[in-house]
Amino acid sequence: MAKMYYDNDADLSLLKGKKIAVLGYGSQGHAQAQSLQDSGLDVIVAEIKGSKSWDRAVADGMKVTTTAEAAEQADMIHILLPDEVQAEVYRESIAPHLKAGNIIGFSHGFNIHFAQIVPPEDVDVIMIAPKGPGHLVRRQFKEGAGVPCLIAVQQDYSGKARDIALAFAKGIGGTRAGVLETTFKEETETDLFGEQAVLCGGLTHLIRSGFETLVEAGYQPEVAYFECLHEMKLIVDLIYEGGIANMRYSISDTAEWGDIATGPRIITDETKKEMKKVLEEIQDGKFAQGWILENKAGRPMYNAIVKRDKAHQIETVGKELRGMMSWLKK
Ligand code: NDP
Ligand code: MG
Ligand code: MG
């Protein structure tokens, strides 16, 4: 089994006396910045002046300044901006202020792996990537727990880059849950593949195809919604708790027979062949190229499809049904 690192493997004092600039106060930024500060580290947040995130950081008791100012002052610059804006912000407001021995941190490897950001040789380049959304990172930290993290070292100028990444993971509670070492390449490629083929792309299209099949056959959309979307969470919870075997133990034998007999007709050898192609296009940079160009063009396809999908019947029916589910948080 791969080696896991815990609290005792990490030395927070490696970051004591260093000024850490957290760039961006969004999902990951707010969670990591506050937790590092609670861990007794010297943190400064960088945001766009006058933005809502700036105000939120001030309200949370953080020191806040501009990106250029933070990059100038900091020993470690941790970039938690949206991946699509990181390269431009790096060129304009970070690179001019970098000093030998600085540390540049990320929570996702996209910009380093696809060479959208190419730091100078005299800095450390590390990754600390929590395997969970920012709000969970913060909540777990406050409860004395943590979210598992991946760490990686791309450049080790100081000779201590790995230990610094571990210290950082400790500062956000990651070593309480367990830290696994990876590379920028592995994290980037597996993360992109997972969200495209399984977690997001695969799942949403599976749900919608099932929903459409039932509705087109004349069944009530409300029933189709419960069957294909609502119940998904209940099934996934069982898988999360005890694996696929545990889920199969809980469902009826009829459902289990349907799972093993029909599943391979839905996710076929063709599907897996396509997954391999998707992975190749991540590995050879074709996906990254498409996404970078889409952003440069002002996201015409992204905007059109997101808008169209918001009007899909599964969304309108779901909104009404969820309105009647008093136990769901608004
Ligand atoms: P968010 O979009 O939630 O937050 C980004 C923050 O950056 C926002 O506060 C935004 O401000 C601010 N921002 C946007 N543009 C600029 C700019 N030009 N200059 C300064 N600040 C700016 O991002 P995430 O937290 O989701 O992602 C950050 C990084 O963490 C990414 O690399 C992502 O891949 C990684 N990651 C994210 C996870 C997640 O669960 N979200 C999980 C693991 C890794 P405003 O709100 O005002 O627009
Ligand atoms: Mg991702
Ligand atoms: Mg059933």
Side-chain angles (χ1 to χ4, degrees), residues 176-208:
R176 295 173 183 165
V179 170
L180 196 66
E181 190 168 2
T182 181
T183 60
F184 273 66
K185 175 178 155 58
E186 184 178 63
E187 186 276 337
T188 305
E189 293 176 353
T190 56
D191 187 75
L192 291 173
F193 177 80
E195 65 202 17
Q196 290 175 31
V198 183
L199 304 174
C200 308
L203 183 65
T204 57
H205 289 76
L206 179 70
I207 291 174
R208 269 206 330 221

Side-chain angles (χ1 to χ4, degrees), residues 274-285:
E274 197 61 28
M275 282 186 176
K276 287 190 176 158
K277 234 164 91 188
V278 166
L279 182 58
E280 272 165 33
E281 289 175 19
I282 289 167
Q283 290 166 332
D284 67 17

Side-chain angles (χ1 to χ4, degrees), residues 221-242:
E222 291 78 8
V223 173
Y225 177 89
F226 275 115
E227 203 51 57
C228 299
L229 188 149
H230 182 84
E231 281 196 46
M232 183 66 78
K233 176 182 161 30
L234 314 175
I235 293 293
V236 170
D237 280 349
L238 292 169
I239 296 176
Y240 179 86
E241 283 159 18

Side-chain angles (χ1 to χ4, degrees), residues 23-30 32 46-48 51-54 56 67 79-86 89 106-111 128-135 137 187 191:
L23 274 44
Y25 202 70
S27 175
Q28 287 297 330
H30 92 284
Q32 297 190 30
E47 259 297 341
I48 300 171
S51 69
K52 278 211 186 98
S53 300
W54 173 297
R56 214 174 307 130
T67 305
I79 307 180
L80 295 178
L81 304 167
D83 295 302
E84 328 75 74
V85 309
Q86 290 184 6
V89 173
F106 294 87
S107 284
H108 179 41
F110 188 97
N111 282 284
I128 305 91
K131 287 286 100 183
H135 295 88
V137 171
E187 186 276 337
D191 187 75

Side-chain angles (χ1 to χ4, degrees), residues 41-110:
L41 298 171
D42 183 9
V43 179
I44 179 166
V45 167
E47 259 297 341
I48 300 171
K49 215 168 197 157
S51 69
K52 278 211 186 98
S53 300
W54 173 297
D55 295 341
R56 214 174 307 130
V58 171
D60 288 342
M62 306 300 300
K63 275 180 279 176
V64 193
T65 184
T66 62
T67 305
E69 182 63 34
E72 167 69 31
Q73 290 180 13
D75 303 293
M76 171 166 182
I77 297 152
H78 192 53
I79 307 180
L80 295 178
L81 304 167
D83 295 302
E84 328 75 74
V85 309
Q86 290 184 6
E88 194 188 328
V89 173
Y90 176 83
R91 268 192 308 276
E92 284 174 7
S93 311
I94 301 174
H97 305 289
L98 282 178
K99 288 174 280 294
N102 279 174
I103 304 154
I104 308 182
F106 294 87
S107 284
H108 179 41
F110 188 97

